[in-house]
Amino acid sequence: MKHRYDVIVVGLGHAGCEAALACARMGLETLGLTLKRERAAVMSCNPAVGGTAKGHLVRELDALGGEMGHAADRAGTHFKTLNASKGPAVQATRVLCDRDAYARIVQSVLFSQPNLTVHEAEVSALVAEGGQIAGVVLGDGTQVQARAVLLTTGTFLQALMHVGEKKEVGGRLGDEAARGLSESLRSLGFTLGRFKTGTPARLKRDSIDWGAVEPQPGDLPPRFFSRRTRQRLAGSVSAPLQPPVSCGITYTTLGTHQLLRDNLHRSPLFQGDIVGRGPRYCPSLEDKVVRFAARERHQVFLEPEGPDSPLVYPAGLSTSMPADVQLEFLRTIPGLEHVEVVRFGYAVEYDYAPPTQLSSTLETKAVRGLYFAGQLNGTSGYEEAAFQGLYAGINAALQVKGEPPLLLGRDEAHGAVLVDELVTKGVDEPFRMFTSRSEHRLKLREGNAELRLARHGHRVGLVPRETLERVEARAKAVTEEVARLKRTGLAARLKRPEVSYAALAAESREWPELPPEVAEEVEVEVKYEGYIAQAERAAAREAEAWDGWVIPAGFRFSEVRGLSREAVEKFTAHKPGTVGHARRIPGLTPAALSLLLVALKKERVAS
């Protein structure tokens, strides 16, 4: 290992892997630092990629040149399209992976990537000079210099694991915590908070009564994430590349809930031992039982961790209850009456950095050249982490190369909405992405991610020219076919819900032959044209009203007449670039925004 690199990436989870690969592929000498080399890209919790909005992020990441989608395709054992009966804007791919295969696949890419060195070490401190990052200090005292540093530390900062009354230092089972970096961040002026996440027990596969649960086979043919997978296979594969697995659904019972209530006095969550706030949309089972007391049951999705794995992941049963309580409540669930536990569930508390301390490139405002990505920014989920890692990695590399940053608009990607929500609104609980967060969701679909983003991936050097040309040819084919349907009057028929593009094609012998992905996009564009146009007009009106007002750099909020001290503090802390950004700052009143607008109008007139 050298002592000077262009970029250093600290942590090689899902965010760090994307960041390190992006920087190296953009031609920069990159160092990836991890506590354990063999634990890079490990799926710490659920062995699945994608889901509602998350599938969109993976497709967007792939369109920009990221790796997660391709790895999930290759490791996938169970493919499912969620919300298949609903509109295309909310339809999303979810892929259950062979957990070990996924890590091996990503590691093989990491360890063979030119320009990328992977080294085992703990980072104990950051080095900054004159407000600019200069490098890192390793646990053994070695200093390594860099022009940019990306922190993607996941759940490892000052991490503490809980199983009932038992506490253990570590970011996940079998791994240490990162102990010195939090203090280094504070010394540089960063504010840190405390969040909590958790994971369920891992169950012995052959101890489950699979005949007592609802079988859940995957979709055939599989719907792949990555353009590379689709190009290589060209529709010739009707099953997953890995041996397929079938999942199962069961439910908790009233007996489960009563047992948990009877043991709340032993829960670290309810006894105040856990101070970090947990995710609203993936709460522990004991939390669900208390918050939703009227519910008679909660769904449990049993997911084998691989075709040959002896382990099953019971999604929906995250818990930090003592081991004996976990075993007892598991055996109250149909199909699990005689279940055996291989590893018990646990909660993890960890430090995070409120993301309002970042700019729109995910660079910190306090230290130039320092970037944060992933759960360090208060998010939850592999997909949110991976997109941030890619985005931060791209922007760090562009900054080092002296090129303009990649700044995606909210109308271009769900990933841009994710970043914008983080840096402008901040978080008060682990953040999860939903399609409902985007005002442009009707046009930000999984199926058109390449059409929206491939040109950006090519511009930064992550998408090859031949790939961009194929995407542009696809876009042209969609545009031409939509125009033909309108010209011939067939578009009006296709707008009817009961009429499909395939049905129209079957009526004519002279119908043009189109690839399935082109035909699918044509049908969506025609059927939803009116809805999309209506949504875009509404978004444009809002953008004109709010985002059109730019707040100059160095604007003195304290000089705005009538602003409360609290409003001045919020404006000053968040440093919004537009009134639209300011509008998304938590806790600001409409009156404060009106006063800001008045001040900006006066300044515009005066200039």
Side-chain angles (χ1 to χ4, degrees):
M1 184 186 73
K2 302 184 301 184
H3 288 161
R4 181 187 293 272
Y5 290 85
D6 293 319
V7 178
I8 295 173
V9 178
V10 182
L12 290 178
H14 301 288
C17 288
E18 296 291 350
L21 287 170
C23 292
R25 289 168 175 171
M26 291 171 70
L28 300 183
E29 285 294 318
T30 305
L31 173 64
L33 295 172
T34 180
L35 295 174
K36 291 183 180 179
R37 181 184 173 98
E38 70 273 12
R39 300 287 279 173
V42 163
M43 303 179 101
S44 304
C45 194
N46 195 309
V49 171
T52 304
K54 295 171 177 282
H56 295 70
L57 290 175
V58 178
R59 288 289 290 266
E60 291 175 353
L61 187 150
D62 188 75
L64 288 168
E67 196 64 34
M68 174 176 273
H70 192 225
D73 288 345
R74 293 172 62 193
T77 60
H78 183 279
F79 291 73
K80 203 78 175 177
T81 299
L82 306 184
N83 301 320
S85 62
K86 299 182 181 179
V90 296
Q91 292 177 9
T93 304
R94 184 178 187 273
V95 180
L96 179 66
C97 296
D98 180 326
R99 184 175 180 269
D100 292 337
Y102 182 91
R104 286 197 306 270
I105 289 166
V106 178
Q107 288 172 14
S108 69
V109 175
L110 276 177
F111 301 156
S112 62
Q113 175 62 47
N115 299 324
L116 176 58
T117 300
V118 175
H119 182 72
E120 288 187 353
E122 179 181 349
V123 173
S124 60
L126 300 172
V127 179
E129 299 172 356
Q132 172 71 44
I133 198 70
V136 302
V137 179
L138 305 185
D140 63 1
T142 301
Q143 184 168 325
V144 186
Q145 297 178 330
R147 299 166 67 186
V149 172
L150 293 95
L151 290 190
T152 63
T153 49
T155 61
F156 284 79
L157 289 187
Q158 296 292 108
L160 184 64
M161 297 184 291
H162 298 261
V163 180
E165 302 89 349
K166 181 182 177 183
K167 299 180 181 66
E168 184 177 341
V169 172
R172 65 184 166 214
L173 199 63
D175 288 315
E176 294 294 321
R179 306 182 193 187
L181 201 47
S182 290
E183 187 56 40
S184 179
L185 286 168
R186 289 191 179 94
S187 71
L188 291 172
F190 291 101
T191 298
L192 300 181
R194 198 79 170 154
F195 274 168
K196 165 256 178 188
T197 188
T199 190
R202 299 307 191 272
L203 312 180
K204 191 173 181 181
R205 189 171 183 171
D206 60 10
S207 69
I208 296 173
D209 181 1
W210 291 96
V213 303
E214 302 172 21
Q216 288 289 308
D219 293 341
L220 295 177
R223 180 174 171 176
F224 293 115
F225 281 124
S226 178
R227 57 177 166 77
R228 286 183 281 168
T229 311
R230 296 191 297 273
Q231 288 168 7
R232 181 166 63 87
L233 301 175
S236 63
V237 173
S238 58
L241 303 179
Q242 299 284 339
V245 302
S246 181
C247 300
I249 289 180
T250 185
Y251 298 88
T252 61
T253 65
L254 292 176
T256 314
H257 302 176
Q258 189 58 52
L259 195 153
L260 287 165
R261 292 191 190 98
D262 291 344
N263 285 277
L264 287 179
H265 64 284
R266 300 185 63 194
S267 166
L269 181 65
F270 285 90
Q271 295 308 307
D273 292 334
I274 294 176
V275 297
R277 184 161 183 178
R280 176 194 301 263
Y281 302 104
C282 188
S284 63
L285 182 59
E286 54 267 35
D287 195 17
K288 286 193 285 189
V289 166
V290 172
R291 286 167 54 189
F292 308 106
R295 290 280 296 273
E296 294 186 355
R297 65 179 192 173
H298 295 281
Q299 181 176 285
V300 181
F301 202 70
L302 300 174
E303 302 176 326
E305 293 199 349
D308 302 316
S309 173
L311 303 181
V312 169
Y313 179 96
L317 296 183
S318 175
T319 184
S320 58
M321 279 290 195
D324 60 307
V325 177
Q326 291 189 41
L327 182 59
E328 192 173 355
F329 83 64
L330 283 166
R331 290 181 173 177
T332 65
I333 297 172
L336 306 184
E337 292 88 349
H338 304 288
V339 76
E340 297 178 28
V341 175
V342 180
R343 291 202 306 270
F344 287 99
Y346 58 92
V348 182
E349 283 188 285
Y350 56 95
D351 287 347
Y352 80 98
T356 51
Q357 300 171 100
L358 307 177
S359 72
S360 296
T361 62
L362 297 182
E363 183 183 25
T364 67
K365 296 173 182 176
V367 180
R368 297 185 305 277
L370 177 61
Y371 295 76
F372 295 169
Q375 285 184 274
L376 176 61
N377 288 342
T379 60
S380 65
Y382 305 150
E383 304 82 3
E384 288 90 342
F387 189 93
Q388 291 174 73
L390 180 70
Y391 201 68
I394 288 172
N395 279 308
L398 290 172
Q399 185 191 72
V400 169
K401 296 167 75 172
E403 298 179 14
L406 175 65
L407 294 172
L408 298 175
R410 290 175 67 98
D411 62 336
E412 292 183 282
H414 283 292
V417 175
L418 163 69
V419 171
D420 186 59
E421 295 277 302
L422 291 174
V423 303
T424 59
K425 286 186 175 181
V427 294
D428 56 9
E429 63 187 23
F431 181 97
R432 177 179 175 177
M433 188 61 197
F434 290 101
T435 54
S436 58
R437 294 186 187 273
S438 173
E439 64 274 28
H440 301 279
R441 57 188 169 274
L442 289 182
K443 76 172 189 178
L444 302 182
R445 306 181 297 274
E446 271 196 10
N448 66 4
E450 282 186 318
L451 305 184
R452 295 183 273 117
L453 298 173
R455 61 187 175 89
H456 292 296
H458 176 68
R459 195 266 285 185
V460 302
L462 295 179
V463 172
R465 162 58 62 180
E466 56 270 24
T467 298
L468 180 62
E469 289 174 349
R470 280 194 290 267
V471 172
E472 290 175 338
R474 177 186 165 201
K476 181 180 179 183
V478 170
T479 301
E480 290 178 346
E481 181 61 3
V482 170
R484 185 186 75 84
L485 292 175
K486 291 181 177 179
R487 188 171 60 250
T488 58
L490 292 169
R493 287 187 61 194
L494 186 55
K495 287 179 183 290
R496 292 159 55 185
E498 71 275 11
V499 178
S500 68
Y501 184 85
L504 289 179
E507 295 177 4
S508 173
R509 296 179 180 178
E510 299 180 358
W511 200 271
E513 291 188 16
L514 298 177
E517 60 183 8
V518 173
E520 179 181 339
E521 192 61 27
V522 167
E523 181 165 348
V524 171
E525 288 285 344
V526 172
K527 284 188 179 296
Y528 291 87
E529 180 183 42
Y531 298 104
I532 294 171
Q534 182 179 6
E536 290 303 295
R537 286 194 296 269
R541 287 194 298 269
E542 180 171 331
E544 184 178 358
W546 299 104
D547 290 325
W549 285 94
V550 175
I551 301 173
F555 183 83
R556 294 180 179 274
F557 297 101
S558 59
E559 296 180 1
V560 177
R561 292 186 61 184
L563 275 184
S564 67
R565 180 179 298 178
E566 180 185 2
V568 170
E569 289 175 354
K570 286 180 179 292
F571 281 130
T572 304
H574 286 262
K575 297 182 176 65
T578 68
V579 177
H581 287 175
R583 187 168 174 252
R584 294 189 287 274
I585 296 173
L588 278 179
T589 65
L593 292 169
S594 296
L595 291 168
L596 175 61
L597 267 175
V598 169
L600 290 173
K601 288 176 181 177
K602 287 182 179 178
E603 185 168 295
R604 182 178 291 184
V605 170
S607 62

